[in-house]
Amino acid sequence: MVVDGIKVVDATLRDGGLVNDFYFDDNFVKALYDANIAAGVDYMELGYRADKKQFDPKDFGKWKFTSDEDVWNIIGKKNPNMKLSVMADVGRCDFRNDIGPRKDSPIDIFRVATYIETIPEAIEMINYISSQGYETTCNIMAISKCTDEQIAHALYVLAESPALAVYIVDSYGALYPKQARKLARLYHQILAPAGKEVGMHAHNNQQCAFANTIEAKDMGAKWLDGTAYGMGRGAGNCHLEGLLGYLNGKKYHVDPILQLIEEWMLPMRESGIEWGYNTSYLLTGLTNQHPRTAIAATKKKDHQFTEQFKFLSYQ
């Protein structure tokens, strides 16, 4: 299988951190780092660079804030075979004070996450972070809530920015493969003439995350996100092991991630940390709703799915 130009991004610590408030054992983080390198993963996302004035560090693990010092303490000497990423949310990152020059940092790329209505703020962040020497992408969240006209306008604006790629982010797990193909085609048509690439970040509410990812790839998406054992908010994400298995060959290898799952992910699940598909998440995906109600229902072990569906249908 030809994988030229593909960039596989592991988002386990970042999206998975939304499940456990970013409390990851250092030994797990190092094991994930080593496994990703052995698997041929191109980028590893370590977490967020959140504003400590907005989020109390006492309430979160360190990967909510992902300092350069914490990264160096994990990786020691940087391996040139894999780049490191951090996500910066519009409105939740003090980027001018908390993101210094790239020459002093182990981080290679910042992925700026935004909603469609905050694209101007995202452009400001992308311009500043790029001026510090970093690569950047833009992740447009909750894309299933946007019209084609809104998306096209945002893409034309972002095509003029320094961002290397713009992501389709199926935040609510509401997309089906046909829709993923349509969006990837639209993104590619607008971005490619400007030399920009397309990314796909899928959630698994309707068990379409893997399918949507490979459908987007077939329509030209080059940046493909996955997480080990699908670990991520709510229903989780495209399984990294599935994606690597699909791309398996000279560059990508699934075996290191399978070993990581055996040694780390299964015990993590057994410890009580919960993520992955269930019927409540299916219902929020079906109704194109934020998964907050499904997260609450899952915590309460509320299995009144008919009532949940009625409630969501009238939102």
Side-chain angles (χ1 to χ4, degrees), residues 31-100:
L32 178 62
Y33 176 76
D34 291 339
N36 279 327
I37 291 169
V41 167
D42 299 284
Y43 289 83
M44 176 176 169
E45 190 162 64
L46 290 150
Y48 286 96
R49 183 66 59 85
D51 183 0
K52 291 182 179 179
K53 294 189 291 293
Q54 296 186 51
F55 301 94
D56 191 335
K58 295 195 299 292
D59 296 332
F60 299 95
K62 58 190 170 186
W63 304 108
K64 176 79 170 178
F65 311 98
T66 314
S67 72
D68 289 349
E69 181 182 4
D70 286 334
V71 176
W72 284 124
N73 287 340
I74 292 293
I75 68 172
K77 184 178 179 181
K78 191 169 179 182
N79 189 309
N81 294 323
M82 183 175 69
K83 293 185 176 182
L84 301 179
S85 166
V86 167
M87 181 163 280
D89 265 348
V90 168
R92 298 179 178 180
C93 173
D94 184 6
F95 61 95
R96 294 190 183 278
N97 291 315
D98 290 343
I99 300 177

Side-chain angles (χ1 to χ4, degrees), residues 131-202:
S131 75
Q132 295 296 97
Y134 298 95
E135 298 176 347
T136 54
T137 68
C138 185
N139 292 32
I140 307 177
M141 298 183 288
I143 203 69
S144 59
K145 289 287 192 180
C146 305
T147 66
D148 287 351
E149 291 75 16
Q150 288 175 314
I151 295 168
H153 176 73
L155 293 176
Y156 280 117
V157 172
L158 287 163
E160 301 300 318
S161 79
L164 299 177
V166 183
Y167 264 84
I168 302 162
V169 183
D170 185 17
S171 303
Y172 301 161
L175 299 179
Y176 294 112
K178 182 178 180 179
Q179 294 166 298
R181 289 180 69 87
K182 177 186 174 184
L183 283 168
R185 183 186 296 113
L186 175 62
Y187 273 55
H188 186 71
Q189 287 174 346
I190 295 175
L191 295 171
K196 310 298 183 183
E197 295 183 326
V198 180
M200 184 70 199
H201 179 86

Side-chain angles (χ1 to χ4, degrees), residues 192-214:
K196 310 298 183 183
E197 295 183 326
V198 180
M200 184 70 199
H201 179 86
H203 278 260
N204 209 32
N205 298 60
Q206 300 187 87
Q207 301 196 84
C208 290
F210 173 70
N212 287 341
T213 300
I214 62 175

